[in-house]
Amino acid sequence: WGTIAYFGGVSEFSSIFLCVADLFRYFPPSSFQTSSPSVVNFLSSLELGAQGMFVLTFFNFRILGWIYLSSLLFKDAVQALKRGLMQQYCPGSRWFLLYLLSMSILLGGLQAFWFRQIIEKAVEVVAGN
């Protein structure tokens, strides 16, 4: 059940930080009308912190965690297929297990594609472009 919960939502944890960072994209700290520069500095720090946490949580949850739990899913699936458990307990559902395995691969590839874009953007920001 842990794998189902992970693929179904836990891996989305990084999206919390992405939402906060995107909020600042539409409402930059410098656009706030305030007489206190400390508020702008705080909001700028919050923006940077949200961006950094997004990168870290994306890597941990959507790259490392995805690879680890996908490997467990594949290991369990191979055992279920070898032992004929799918046919014994859920006749006709072998296709669904194969679908889950293929989606794990495809979505894992998509996570890697997104992470590459995130790293490219981070390098661009750090380089000052």
Side-chain angles (χ1 to χ4, degrees), residues 23-125:
L23 194 69
F24 287 111
R25 184 167 45 150
Y26 297 109
F27 304 102
S30 60
S31 70
F32 289 93
Q33 299 296 326
T34 179
S35 59
S36 173
S38 62
V39 171
V40 173
N41 288 339
F42 171 75
L43 292 174
S44 296
S45 297
L46 186 62
E47 176 185 22
L48 185 61
Q51 291 169 344
M53 286 301 295
F54 170 67
V55 174
L56 291 174
T57 56
F58 191 98
F59 180 71
N60 284 327
F61 284 89
R62 294 188 182 208
I63 301 299
L64 296 179
W66 197 276
I67 291 169
Y68 174 71
L69 285 170
S70 289
S71 69
L72 293 180
L73 176 64
F74 273 82
K75 188 172 106 179
D76 289 346
V78 166
Q79 288 302 314
L81 292 171
K82 278 184 180 177
R83 294 179 181 172
L85 297 176
M86 295 300 295
Q87 194 60 27
Q88 181 181 355
Y89 293 107
C90 252
S93 64
R94 183 174 186 259
W95 70 270
F96 189 70
L97 181 59
L98 297 175
Y99 167 77
L100 288 176
L101 295 174
S102 63
M103 290 308 296
S104 176
I105 292 169
L106 292 172
L107 291 174
L110 186 60
Q111 309 289 2
F113 172 77
W114 285 337
F115 191 64
R116 180 176 177 205
Q117 289 186 323
I118 291 166
I119 294 302
E120 288 173 356
K121 181 66 175 176
V123 167
E124 182 181 304
V125 168

Side-chain angles (χ1 to χ4, degrees), residues 12-31:
E12 294 293 327
F13 182 70
S14 62
S15 296
I16 296 168
F17 299 105
L18 178 61
C19 289
V20 173
D22 273 353
L23 194 69
F24 287 111
R25 184 167 45 150
Y26 297 109
F27 304 102
S30 60
S31 70

